[in-house]
Amino acid sequence: MTRTGAQILWECLVREGVTDVFGYPGGAILPAYDAMLDFPIRHVLARHEQGATHMADGYARASGRVGVAIATSGPGATNMVTGIATAMMDSSPIVCITGQVGSRLVGTDAFQETDITGITLPITKHNYLVTRADEVAGALREAFHIARTGRPGPVLVDITKDAQQGSCAFDWDAAAPNLPGYRPAGALDPRACARALELLNTAERPLILAGHGIMLAGAEDLVRALAERAGVPVAMTLLGIGAFPASHPLNLGMMGMHGEAWVNQAIQESDLLVALGMRFDDRVTGNLKTYALGARKIHVDIDPAEIDKNVRVDVGLVADLRAALEALLPGVLAADRTPWHARIHAFKGDAAVRDIQQLPDDGHLYAAHVMHDLWRETGGAALVVTDVGQHQMWEAQYYHHETSRSLITSGGLGTMGFALPAAIGARLARPDAEVWAVAGDGGFQMTMAELATIVQEQLDVKIAVVNNGFLGMVRQWQEFFYGRRYAATPLVNPDFTRLAEAFGIPAVTVRERGEVVQAVAAARAHRGPALIEFRVEQEDSVFPMVPAGASLHEMIRRPSPIVETGADV
Ligand SMILES: Cc1cc2nc3c(=O)[nH]c(=O)nc-3n(C[C@H](O)[C@H](O)[C@H](O)COP(=O)(O)OP(=O)(O)OC[C@H]3O[C@@H](n4cnc5c(N)ncnc54)[C@H](O)[C@@H]3O)c2cc1C
Ligand SMILES: Cc1ncc(C[n+]2csc(CCOP(=O)(O)OP(=O)(O)O)c2C)c(N)n1
Ligand SMILES: [Mg+2]
């Protein structure tokens, strides 16, 4: 069967199960776009290639399937860089396809030539430069295999224009991946398993640190079984939120820089940390020299590079988490750890009265209230995609996620502009889900052109813009650590409601707490996209906070009873 390289590209995508791709055309990828029309593929036209890669990423995180983005050479390819790095840091499986100048022009500074495989080498799991039609199928099949297996991640396939135009025989089977050096998951070491069980069964104050890898492994049920059988409380990383139900009695909440005080205190007092699919990010550990000094540590991770990388552990199990837990569970003894639970409960102390939720409506609109009301009004069942900043932390604290893959957020790279496009991808992946993009006024403006994509594709994405008139998270650091010198953080914003309306999206502004529920209800009742701008307190801060580099127990607690903000004085 003879096919052009461009036809082989789509034939392979279809056989890999791809139904939706996100992209932006241009000269070097035109043969591929032309061939696309003959295949059962839905193409979503982004307004910027960064948006297309975040869409593919959101699609992957919402569904567990590989997301696909496509762009032209040169500026199209370089615009993808931020989205690729975002996916790399958070282990998200995407395949990015770029057009490249003709193979004989490579290296001549041809029009729109850029060395995208060179540029993305450190931010992809793997990448390919394909210069012949007969290499297209093999590269694509490997790309999908590498993106989705082992520790997932982004793979880029750069295809020269002549490779798209040239013809060759197409043989799917002959193009099957053959990667002898690639071992996606290691075999379990029985001695390490036995040691892990010994530590777990004899611990008095164990704690599970639940990470993103639980969802990537599809091991939510096994983690729950482990926690329940052994009575082990569960703390979550930002990206682990949703892996264990928020309402479960063993769920403590988020750990780390903006984690709850009792969670960090429990970590510091624990005698065994069981780290499952998490990578001890610095936002999680604080100062490593003082991190959980009294605790033995078991670390299960599919990537051997993560074991002993930041935190030295007593037992490292390099394996897929599902396989590891299946092996461990039969040896886990049932245990009553009530005294430990009671101790953690005591850590909570006055945290409840410090919590902003306890405050009566004092006429101010706090972002935390918005998140709380959004949670209540959506019954905790929405798929929320957040941007980066204060609103992201408030969402993590006050929207309680019961189900896996219901919070999508850029954790490792912390990419502003992520929310809106990633929500588009999530909505396409899960058309039945109620999808909310929650963005700050700063980050929203980085990718707000994707409102046009939402309208063109007729997608039902609800949007909450949390407008505090600041690059809030940076302002908070300036307030705490730079003597309130607000260098380049105040924002003069457009009128977000009129902006949305210009795109054809209905919008309202909410200024008071009493209006939040009604606005959310109206947005939910509307079929199609809707935007709510929340004008929140301008100089509010996220608490608790472990200052960068401080020990986990040295938190700046929520002031009691409440933050006096600039507007109050
Ligand atoms: C403004 C801001 C503030 C933040 N504050 C906090 C905070 O307070 N607390 C917090 O927790 N985070 C915070 N973060 C996020 C933080 O930077 C990290 O992104 C996050 O902690 C990483 O979580 P993780 O280790 O669970 O996930 P990832 O970084 O995605 O790591 C997943 C791990 O799972 C492993 N894995 C993948 N697949 C499998 C498998 N099948 N089996 C076994 N293992 C697997 C991977 O190898 C990897 O080691 C913040 C981010 C921002 C932007
Ligand atoms: C692309 C990018 N540039 C800069 C930053 C640094 N940064 C982190 S949070 C933040 C402020 C975000 O402001 P906004 O979107 O208004 O959200 P808020 O913190 O006010 O909720 C900035 C500038 C970043 N994370 N990403
Ligand atoms: Mg802001």
Side-chain angles (χ1 to χ4, degrees):
M1 191 163 43
T2 300
R3 289 266 196 275
T4 66
Q7 289 170 325
I8 292 171
L9 162 67
W10 297 110
E11 184 71 41
C12 288
L13 291 185
V14 170
R15 289 186 189 223
E16 292 289 352
V18 174
T19 50
D20 307 272
V21 303
F22 306 91
Y24 208 93
I29 195 71
L30 261 178
Y33 267 87
D34 184 62
M36 178 178 77
L37 295 177
D38 300 324
F39 290 83
I41 291 277
R42 174 172 184 179
H43 179 272
V44 172
L45 179 63
R47 291 300 182 272
H48 189 292
E49 292 84 353
Q50 179 189 350
T53 44
H54 291 326
M55 288 174 201
D57 188 347
Y59 186 95
R61 296 193 206 204
S63 63
R65 302 195 294 273
V66 177
V68 179
I70 179 164
T72 192
S73 65
T78 54
N79 273 353
M80 287 182 140
V81 166
T82 301
I84 294 172
T86 304
M88 183 70 177
M89 285 292 267
D90 291 348
S91 298
S92 185
I94 63 171
V95 168
C96 294
I97 295 155
T98 45
Q100 181 56 281
V101 301
S103 58
R104 275 178 304 175
L105 294 174
V106 168
T108 67
D109 295 333
F111 178 64
Q112 296 197 323
E113 180 187 1
T114 194
D115 175 10
I116 197 62
T117 47
I119 290 169
T120 59
L121 192 64
I123 53 166
T124 47
K125 191 171 168 188
H126 196 53
N127 68 25
Y128 296 85
L129 171 60
V130 175
T131 56
R132 292 189 348 222
D134 62 9
E135 293 170 343
V136 171
L140 273 161
R141 289 199 65 178
E142 283 185 18
F144 276 82
H145 178 64
I146 292 171
R148 64 161 72 103
T149 53
R151 178 177 185 164
V155 181
L156 179 127
V157 185
D158 194 28
I159 311 176
T160 60
K161 197 165 184 178
D162 52 326
Q164 297 168 50
Q165 289 165 323
S167 295
C168 66
F170 172 56
D171 184 343
W172 170 256
D173 295 327
N178 176 23
L179 299 162
Y182 175 61
R183 287 188 196 85
L188 271 172
D189 171 0
R191 292 220 328 263
C193 286
R195 178 88 182 112
L197 283 173
E198 187 188 317
L199 291 181
L200 182 60
N201 288 333
T202 55
E204 287 176 10
R205 299 184 304 283
L207 207 57
I208 289 174
L209 305 182
H212 188 200
I214 297 173
M215 290 179 264
L216 293 169
E220 297 87 344
D221 54 335
L222 301 181
V223 172
R224 187 170 173 163
L226 170 69
E228 288 176 352
R229 170 136 16 121
V232 186
V234 180
M236 293 170 304
T237 66
L238 175 69
L239 295 186
I241 288 176
F244 194 76
S247 61
H248 194 288
L250 287 168
N251 188 335
L252 300 182
M254 187 169 78
M255 66 183 89
M257 178 175 274
H258 292 295
E260 295 300 344
W262 64 83
V263 183
N264 290 338
Q265 215 160 335
I267 290 173
Q268 293 300 68
E269 291 210 9
S270 146
D271 67 354
L272 178 69
L273 295 180
V274 185
L276 304 179
M278 56 82 75
R279 60 180 176 82
F280 291 108
D281 184 87
D282 54 71
R283 289 292 182 265
V284 158
T285 60
N287 187 348
L288 285 168
K289 289 203 179 79
T290 54
Y291 181 70
L293 295 179
R296 300 285 185 81
K297 287 147 195 123
I298 300 169
H299 191 183
V300 188
D301 202 290
I302 200 162
D303 183 351
E306 291 298 340
I307 308 291
D308 288 331
K309 185 181 83 176
N310 294 336
V311 171
R312 272 195 52 79
V313 296
D314 299 272
V315 181
L317 286 178
V318 180
D320 171 60
L321 187 61
R322 246 202 111 72
L325 290 177
E326 273 165 2
L328 290 174
L329 267 170
V332 174
L333 302 180
D336 173 17
R337 294 196 158 97
T338 318
W340 174 224
H341 301 168
R343 176 126 185 88
I344 296 175
H345 190 73
F347 295 154
K348 291 191 180 171
D350 65 352
V353 293
R354 288 169 186 258
D355 197 303
I356 190 162
Q357 293 313 320
Q358 302 302 320
L359 290 165
D361 181 359
D362 60 357
H364 295 261
L365 182 59
Y366 295 101
H369 283 155
V370 173
M371 298 309 156
H372 178 81
D373 290 353
L374 181 65
W375 165 65
R376 287 251 300 263
E377 199 53 28
T378 56
L383 193 171
V384 185
V385 186
T386 76
D387 219 78
V388 170
Q390 292 184 310
H391 64 281
Q392 178 188 29
M393 295 297 107
W394 280 312
E395 198 283 345
Q397 294 177 344
Y398 293 104
Y399 196 105
H400 305 293
H401 291 270
E402 296 298 324
T403 54
S404 191
R405 300 183 187 273
S406 67
L407 168 60
I408 294 178
T409 193
S410 166
L413 203 66
T415 306
M416 286 171 69
F418 176 79
L420 192 64
I424 292 174
R427 174 72 193 177
L428 269 136
R430 303 242 306 266
D432 298 333
E434 176 181 345
V435 176
W436 280 81
V438 174
D441 44 340
F444 179 71
Q445 291 183 68
M446 285 199 169
T447 53
M448 66 187 180
E450 304 302 346
L451 289 176
T453 309
I454 289 179
V455 173
Q456 181 163 349
E457 296 293 329
Q458 301 183 342
L459 295 173
D460 188 347
V461 175
K462 314 297 185 200
I463 303 150
V465 178
V466 182
N467 180 358
N468 53 11
F470 275 102
L471 298 173
M473 185 56 95
V474 180
R475 186 211 61 75
Q476 174 170 344
W477 283 54
Q478 290 170 332
E479 178 187 334
F480 288 10
F481 313 118
Y482 291 86
R484 278 191 120 174
R485 287 153 59 86
Y486 292 162
T489 43
L491 290 170
V492 174
N493 287 322
D495 180 332
F496 289 111
T497 54
R498 287 176 58 200
L499 184 91
E501 281 160 4
F503 282 90
I505 296 177
V508 291
T509 298
V510 167
R511 293 182 176 80
E512 288 174 19
R513 175 104 198 250
E515 301 165 354
V516 177
V517 164
Q518 195 200 339
V520 171
R524 297 184 78 217
H526 175 71
R527 281 169 62 93
L531 181 145
I532 310 174
E533 177 202 13
F534 294 100
R535 292 262 181 97
V536 299
E537 201 64 17
Q538 293 213 321
E539 294 187 51
D540 195 2
S541 291
V542 181
F543 296 103
M545 178 176 188
V546 182
S551 302
L552 214 48
H553 51 276
E554 293 168 358
M555 282 158 283
I556 308 174
R557 297 288 305 275
R558 279 191 192 102
S560 189
I562 183 59
V563 209
E564 281 301 326
T565 67
D568 295 323
V569 261

